[in-house]
Amino acid sequence: MGKVTGFLEFDRQEQKYQLAGDRVRHFREFTLPLDDKDLQKQAARCMDCGIPFCHGPTGCPVHNQIPDWNDLVYNDDWEEASRNLHSTNNFPEFTGRICPAPCEEACTLNLENVPVTIKTIEQAIADKAWEMGWIRPEPPARLTGKSVAVVGSGPAGLAAAQQLARVGHEVHVYEREPRAGGLLRYGIPDFKMEKHHIDRRVAQMEAEGVVFHYGVNIGVDKPFEELAKAYDAVLMCGGAERPRDPQLPGMELEGVHYAMPFLVQQNRRNGRENFLDSDPILAGGKHVVVIGGGDTASDCVGTSFRQGALSVTQLDIRPKPPEMEDKLTVWPYWPTKMRTSSSQAEGAEREFQVATLGLEGKKGRVIGVRCARVDEKRVPVPGTEFVLRADLVFIAIGFASPVFEGMVEQAGVTLDRRGNVAASESDYRTSNEKVFSAGDMRRGQSLVVWAIREGRQAARAIDEYLTGSSVLPR
């Protein structure tokens, strides 16, 4: 694939970023794309490695045919590369921006720490396809007469809805918020993915026959039973929204928040949406502490800097990982190693192997975070306690499960031991025969690319349930 000797001739070249001092002044995307010639050289590096681990099972969850479209880009056939890419991924412009790229970790060239720049090429293919007008609505040739309700318009719901509409089912998407996208729109900051990417996909899907119902909270505004009676099948893609509760002393103090309300507010601001149901959470002129070491925590860091925070400190209970993994024992799996996000590189102080013991306050407002170093079992080490100054604290330690009250409760579906909706990966069907579930609501908090995979697979399962067979891919 690519050029036979390309990996020997061309060095790995990644997209560059705007300087940190410039990008923290706005909420727009800040990557500087490579030109076509450089992208073709990067695609040429894809070697004929025999077993392309990049597209599964350890690499890409949607099984993108990466060597194939690298070869097409190298040979300057971008349109066919776009067709190939879209055959496995409904929204490559999303994953090309926000996926952590397990495909690159699984790349054979990563044994030498110089994997093919797969994510960069994926984004470039998708962006060029939009620019050239190759992405068009694909309405079905005929209608089946069957109807499906999809609850939730995150990546799983959107992928499933598009797949089901394209094979002729009448698809209605119910979304609690005023716009589609779920956490793609309201959780992920604009500086990682601007929301016009979602808007044009929604327009494409509407032209394919998908009907969106906004501002409808199933189980609250509309009983689930009413939905189940009106449609031949229901797919629940409501996400995993319940945050993990650290049960820290002082959680009630003013200035202590879970991460998601902070991120949602800023995304609503950027989208010129109203959020008058809650007080503004703003980091400007404040010392911010973010508790948690994942992507959501990193998003809080970048958002805080853009709002004008004086300092941002991120606490991670895990030990500081090694700078480089042992390739021969880990590859092609996702390794634990030191990673610095673009947000963290904007000036965050990072503290590893630190437990949060409690939050200190004065006159009802947080003034500090009480911490301690921990041992390898995450037990606080006596005598290592310290206090970090904090005017604003964000809890970003992940999500426990879907919200049970409302739709899940009314659907009467069985839950697994973690509190997620129980449904198998073979048919995505819940204990309620005509009700299916996919995405984080089924598998627990995960990546956008996994949600797209689940939505696509659930669409096939529903198609088989409604018609007895399916041409949709697994």
Side-chain angles (χ1 to χ4, degrees):
M1 293 299 161
K3 187 178 183 182
V4 175
T5 57
F7 70 98
L8 297 171
E9 296 178 37
F10 306 119
D11 292 333
R12 173 181 165 93
Q13 183 181 357
E14 300 179 65
Q15 293 184 104
K16 292 185 169 58
Y17 295 156
Q18 286 182 352
L19 295 175
D22 295 330
R23 66 181 188 248
V24 296
R25 299 174 185 274
H26 61 80
F27 280 89
R28 299 184 303 277
E29 292 178 17
F30 52 79
T31 53
L32 305 175
L34 301 178
D35 64 31
D36 285 2
K37 291 299 181 184
D38 285 333
L39 287 162
Q40 287 178 271
K41 288 179 181 178
Q42 293 307 298
R45 297 184 66 245
C46 187
M47 62 193 293
D48 188 6
C49 58
I51 300 176
F53 288 96
C54 57
H55 65 80
T58 60
C60 180
V62 293
H63 302 306
N64 280 339
Q65 299 168 83
I66 294 160
D68 299 75
W69 44 256
N70 274 332
D71 185 56
L72 290 163
V73 168
Y74 167 61
N75 287 293
D76 204 26
D77 193 347
W78 291 83
E79 187 171 4
E80 184 60 31
S82 171
R83 277 193 288 269
N84 187 301
L85 178 54
H86 280 88
S87 72
T88 56
N89 186 350
N90 295 67
F91 315 118
E93 69 272 29
F94 299 172
T95 49
R97 285 170 165 80
I98 58 178
C99 186
C103 52
E104 294 191 19
E105 295 291 351
C107 177
T108 301
L109 287 175
N110 191 38
L111 285 167
E112 296 294 328
N113 302 314
V114 285
V116 175
T117 52
I118 300 167
K119 178 178 172 179
T120 297
I121 297 168
E122 178 181 28
Q123 179 186 333
I125 294 170
D127 288 351
K128 183 176 282 291
W130 279 108
E131 178 189 342
M132 301 301 292
W134 299 329
I135 298 175
R136 306 181 186 92
E138 299 176 30
R142 62 177 184 84
L143 298 178
T144 63
K146 301 291 186 179
S147 61
V148 183
V150 177
V151 184
S153 66
L158 289 176
Q162 184 166 63
Q163 294 292 92
L164 288 164
R166 286 177 172 178
V167 290
H169 300 305
E170 179 186 343
V171 181
H172 290 250
V173 177
Y174 289 86
E175 171 55 52
R176 178 188 63 197
E177 302 296 340
R179 297 181 186 176
L183 288 188
L184 280 171
R185 183 181 297 275
Y186 294 105
I188 292 171
D190 279 20
F191 56 80
K192 288 173 73 173
M193 189 181 81
E194 294 175 15
K195 304 311 180 272
H196 64 84
H197 300 296
I198 303 171
D199 296 335
R200 62 188 180 186
R201 282 295 181 185
V202 169
Q204 179 195 28
M205 291 171 65
E206 288 174 334
E208 292 168 345
V210 178
V211 179
F212 288 85
H213 304 269
Y214 299 116
V216 182
N217 191 349
I218 300 299
V220 177
D221 305 320
K222 187 181 184 73
F224 182 82
E225 184 180 358
E226 189 179 318
L227 202 70
K229 286 180 178 178
Y231 296 90
D232 297 308
V234 178
L235 175 61
M236 301 195 301
C237 298
E241 294 187 284
R242 194 185 299 281
R244 288 199 179 100
D245 183 0
Q247 299 182 330
L248 294 172
M251 285 279 289
E252 75 288 349
L253 290 168
E254 186 182 347
V256 179
H257 305 273
Y258 284 108
M260 204 47 63
F262 174 60
L263 298 175
V264 170
Q265 277 194 13
Q266 185 56 54
N267 280 327
R268 289 195 192 282
R269 247 181 237 111
N270 293 342
R272 303 183 186 280
E273 289 185 28
N274 198 349
F275 58 92
L276 294 179
D277 56 332
S278 56
D279 294 330
I281 306 170
L282 295 167
K286 295 175 182 175
H287 296 280
V288 178
V289 174
V290 181
I291 300 171
D295 290 337
T296 302
S298 178
D299 293 344
C300 288
V301 170
T303 302
S304 295
F305 280 130
R306 281 159 181 75
Q307 289 187 358
L310 294 178
S311 69
V312 182
T313 305
Q314 186 177 353
L315 306 181
D316 195 332
I317 199 169
R318 299 169 297 184
K320 185 175 181 179
E323 291 293 330
M324 193 61 63
E325 74 275 24
D326 182 351
K327 300 287 187 186
L328 296 182
T329 59
V330 179
W331 181 88
Y333 296 95
W334 183 261
T336 298
K337 64 180 178 181
M338 187 64 178
R339 302 175 192 272
T340 301
S341 72
S342 59
S343 292
Q344 291 163 340
E346 288 163 3
E349 293 290 330
R350 301 171 71 184
E351 293 279 356
F352 291 96
Q353 216 161 341
V354 168
T356 305
L357 305 179
L359 304 162
E360 298 187 349
K362 185 176 182 180
K363 296 182 179 179
R365 178 161 192 89
V366 69
I367 59 169
V369 180
R370 190 157 37 88
C371 310
R373 305 290 172 185
V374 297
D375 60 22
E376 64 278 0
K377 295 182 180 179
R378 299 188 179 183
V379 176
V381 177
T384 64
E385 295 85 358
F386 61 98
V387 177
L388 287 172
R389 178 180 176 181
D391 308 308
L392 193 59
V393 176
F394 295 119
I395 311 296
I397 56 173
F399 301 89
S401 68
V403 173
F404 177 69
E405 298 79 13
M407 177 178 69
V408 174
E409 183 179 29
Q410 292 177 20
V413 294
T414 301
L415 305 180
D416 66 18
R417 60 184 178 81
R418 296 183 298 162
N420 300 319
V421 175
S424 77
E425 203 171 348
S426 60
D427 63 10
Y428 292 85
R429 189 180 297 181
T430 70
S431 56
N432 186 332
E433 183 188 3
K434 66 188 294 186
V435 179
F436 299 75
S437 184
D440 288 5
M441 180 164 268
R442 188 198 76 86
R443 69 177 285 120
Q445 64 168 5
S446 190
L447 303 175
V448 167
V449 67
W450 272 105
I452 293 172
R453 168 187 165 142
E454 295 235 332
R456 287 170 61 88
Q457 292 189 332
R460 180 186 171 94
I462 292 169
D463 192 29
E464 288 179 334
Y465 165 74
L466 294 177
T467 66
S469 63
S470 180
V471 296
L472 291 173
R474 277 269 316 156

